[in-house]
Amino acid sequence: MSPFKSRKDLFPGALEMMVLQTLQHHPLHGYALVQHIKRSSNDLLQVEEGSLYPALQRMLKAGWVKAQWGVSANGRRVRTYELTAAGRKHLAREVSNFERMLEGIRLVLTPVRS
Amino acid sequence: MREWIWRLRAMLRRDRTMVDKREELQLHRDLEIEAGRRAGLSIEEATRRARWRAGLVSEGLDPVRAAHGIAWMDGAALDLRHAFRALTRNRSFGVVAILVLAASVAINTLIFFMLDGVVLRPLPYAAPEQLVRLYDAGKTQPKFAMSVGHYLDYRAHATSLEAIALYTGHDMELSASDGRSQQLTGVGITTDYFTVLGRPPALGRGFSDEDLKVEVKHAVLSYRLWQERFQSDPAIVGKTIRLDREPWTIIGVAAEGFQHVGGDYRSPLQGESVDVWLPLTVNEERAMRAYHFCNVIARIRPGFTVSQTQQELNGLAASYAQRYPDYGTWGVRMEPLLNEVTGRSRQVVWLLMAAGALVLLVACANIAGLCVARAVARKRELTLRHALGANRWQLLRVGLAENLLIGVAGAILGLLLAGAGLPLLRQLLPVDFPRAHEIGLTAMGAVFASTIALATVLIAGLLPIGGNNTLQAQTRVTAARDSRRLRSLLVVGELTLAGLLCAGALFLLRSYQEIGARDHGFNPSGVLTFQLTAQGGGREHPDRVPRLYEDIRMRIAEIPGVAAVGASTNLPWSGYDENTGFGIVGRAPDQDKDGPGARYQSASPGYFEATGMRLLGGRLFDRTRDIKGQPYTVVVNDALASRYFPKGDAVGAVLDLSGQQRRIVGVVAGIKDFPADLDTKPAFWFPLGQVDYRTVFFAVRSNSVDPTTLTAAVTAAVHAVDPELPVADIRTLERRTSGALASRRFALWLFQAFALLALVLSAAGIYGLLAYVVKQRRKELGIRAALGASRADLWTMVLSDGLKMATAGALCCLLLIPLGGSLLQTFLYNVKAFDLITIAGAPAALLAVAFLASLGPARSATHSDPSLALRED
């Protein structure tokens, strides 16, 4: 019924990586993060809140992001997340790891030319 | 590290964090619904989708909670719930463990109440640690009552003392309008008595220096007397009452609950023991310097140490001795007040505390044994949990949670039991036990009870882990063997400790019997005693008091059933301690300044006969020769005779008592000051007909067995002579003298109770283990029976198991008994650390208990049906 993927389909660390990447440009609250990921992935990826918030919690604990309560344009209390320096470093490392892995997978999947 | 801080913060701010989470998720949902609306959905549909997408809020929250470190606390609550269910399922384990724990916590808490009240709690005075008792210290009398002269000197010159006061007992007769007068416990005090203690009177004032004169009749009432006798009259100050049939003006009422300091010499006990305070007056120069009759309380000035104070007082005492060489050389002895108040009782309390700790150890071993059995019984469950992914800590926690519940229940039940036992303890306590009034239920006691209860169960819960730690890779047989070995060890430990307690009880019992079997020099049974304080006849009738007492004596002697009657200044074992120096006519005085000295007292004719003292030589007092106008006489005890007249020529010798010459007419067998004292103090008696005493004790020996039947007749005889004279303190001599042994009896009783409890606990330990073993070996026993083992064989098998443990325990305790005996030595009389009866008795008790406890399991071993056992699994 739903077109989006569940977290089981993502490999471990993927969600974190996307969240960190999304936060790289500006701080966002949870819903905006979901929307951003959805839009950027051409609606291929829909993050569930059941995965998102625990993930944010883990990243808070690891010190990759920090959270702050603020007030939105229409006056609601919102919690926005911001990338920290440690998060930035972690992201860079993860992305390079990921790219190397992707490269590996691509090489394996590409039919061998003889 | 960072993670731990984070978790800690999360736990502390748990509620706040959860609210934040909810709000954040709610926002998410609302935004989602809004987006749905924008996409053209109805609000219901948008909400439905948002909900569906999110699951429930709580679903989103659960992982958040787990990540929070709240899981740990939730887990603990779960463990406790689980433990509670497990305990209610396995009721016998829980009930036995709780009862064992509660019993031992109860007796320990009870003893702690004593420790707290008697030793730990500060005395009810301002800055009590600054308070000291002072004594004059002589060559042969290291702690002697102080003379007024010394006091005046210290009060005037000692800079290290903030204040100092004297006090000495002085009972008074309070006349009432209805003619029924009342004996009051009175204490004569000097000016600063209330100030030293930091408790000024509630009404009026204390004494000033001007009050300390014979002609000034001022009195301070105790709060209790003011309430009870004077209905809390707010205008009492300035009113007049009749004390000793003379008018006295009340100038104050002491503070509510004010406690007297107490002292060994002519002083009521520490506590609310005093009814009235009077000025302590000394006018005559000689009386001031020569007579030592005062207790001293002093306060060290803040900033001065004990040794600085001692040094300064030493200097003052030395210069005093130079200025007044006629009154002997006296130093100063200083003791902290608390030590003086609690005295030897402190040791008794600590001894009982130690005995209580042993009982607690036995209980701990007992519960540990139960825990081992429990761990083995639930081995399957634990293995299953382990297989399902529970880690070691989680498995451990289940057991610990159970023990925690047992600990809490045991603490509460134990505390309740201890509270219920308090009245009983108070009844058992000797009448003169110091600070007995302070013993009660306190918050400290509750803290103590819960601490020892929890410590005991946690230790008991952790002990089995040392022995039984591998969950997998162990066959059932080896696991059972290991746990059996551990439990046997625990039982042997219990038996050893129980044996030690038995040995302690035996030591004390033996000592008590030894004292009882001693020749005390008098016979307390069948004697009624009471106290009289006659009013002097003044100058007109100087003979009033001796004549009054002689009249009373004759009246009582006429009562049918009275075998002998006499009066004396003091009764045996009453702590009477009045001493004097003397010379021996015809002998050069000793170089030693202290010279010959002896206890002096006074007795009427008939007194020695009434108390059953034995005449060793010469004669006793009689009513024709030992009266005024006849030659001065004296009766001495054997200790005085043998010390100063070793050739046996005491009778006929003449003593010089401050210039008065008295002939020794008789020698009696001596009485020790206290029943367990090693030697008798030299002592002599004046004839009461020649030396007046206003306060005397009468002793009436009855022909019948129960002397109390004479009470009415004796009181009537006294009132026939003087209708106003109060008959105070009527008690049999036996009750008085048993008071001297009360402290020993008390320790003995408690020790016996402890030993009994420890024996019961170890019997339960043996029984539990053997019953378990028999159950485990059901099959083996069945096979043996089937192969022809007789009942007797099976009996012996089980019994020998029990007796083996008992023997091991007995051997361990044999090694420790002499050590225990030497630790107890200060409490023992005429019993050696290698007392044969004790050394044989304690192990015998262990073997007997083990035998009895083994009977049950042995019976069930022989009664098990072999076929049933064999058919099982």
Side-chain angles (χ1 to χ4, degrees), chain B residues 319-331:
Chain B
S319 85
Y320 182 93
Q322 277 179 348
R323 273 178 288 147
Y324 305 101
D326 295 347
Y327 299 105
T329 309
W330 295 95

Side-chain angles (χ1 to χ4, degrees), chain B residues 556-574:
Chain B
I556 292 174
E558 284 164 15
I559 299 170
V562 170
V565 53
S568 170
T569 45
N570 64 305
L571 294 168
W573 297 351
S574 58

Side-chain angles (χ1 to χ4, degrees), chain B residues 560-787:
Chain B
V562 170
V565 53
S568 170
T569 45
N570 64 305
L571 294 168
W573 297 351
S574 58
Y576 176 91
D577 189 17
E578 307 282 349
N579 301 282
T580 181
F582 61 83
I584 298 164
V585 173
R587 250 186 242 181
D590 227 317
Q591 289 309 307
D592 186 1
K593 262 280 178 193
D594 273 3
R599 179 82 25 97
Y600 71 90
Q601 45 216 317
S602 192
S604 77
Y607 172 74
F608 298 107
E609 293 90 331
T611 48
M613 293 175 72
R614 282 194 317 278
L615 179 67
L616 300 176
R619 64 170 179 88
L620 298 173
F621 292 137
D622 66 42
R623 59 185 304 236
T624 52
R625 278 178 285 181
D626 304 300
I627 53 173
K628 281 185 185 156
Q630 295 290 320
Y632 290 136
T633 55
V634 71
V635 167
V636 302
N637 70 0
D638 51 1
L640 188 144
S642 63
R643 177 170 315 172
Y644 300 113
F645 304 95
K647 286 181 221 135
D649 51 352
V651 177
V654 179
L655 301 185
D656 183 325
L657 290 149
S658 315
Q660 196 180 59
Q661 304 207 332
R662 288 185 171 270
R663 187 170 300 277
I664 298 175
V665 295
V667 178
V668 294
I671 300 174
K672 279 141 191 104
D673 285 353
F674 294 100
D677 277 1
L678 291 181
D679 43 31
T680 315
K681 298 261 164 52
F684 63 82
W685 287 263
F686 297 117
L688 202 56
Q690 290 178 347
V691 179
D692 291 358
Y693 279 92
R694 283 181 54 219
T695 298
V696 295
F697 289 92
F698 267 78
V700 184
R701 177 166 292 278
S702 83
N703 287 327
S704 61
V705 186
D706 183 8
T708 52
T709 53
L710 295 172
T711 309
V714 165
T715 317
V718 173
H719 285 149
V721 178
D722 182 343
E724 266 198 82
L725 191 62
V727 179
D729 201 15
I730 308 180
R731 271 190 285 166
T732 64
L733 186 56
E734 230 161 11
R735 274 205 55 197
R736 277 180 205 279
T737 50
S738 80
L741 287 169
S743 184
R744 285 172 186 275
R745 208 165 37 229
F746 175 69
L748 174 62
W749 280 336
L750 284 184
F751 238 94
Q752 282 173 338
F754 290 4
L756 196 67
L757 181 59
L759 279 181
V760 169
L761 289 184
S762 26
I766 297 177
Y767 178 89
L769 178 54
L770 290 184
Y772 168 79
V773 169
V774 166
K775 205 172 147 203
Q776 286 256 314
R777 293 167 69 183
R778 215 163 42 240
K779 204 186 272 181
E780 179 206 329
L781 293 171
I783 294 172
R784 281 173 190 264
L787 290 180

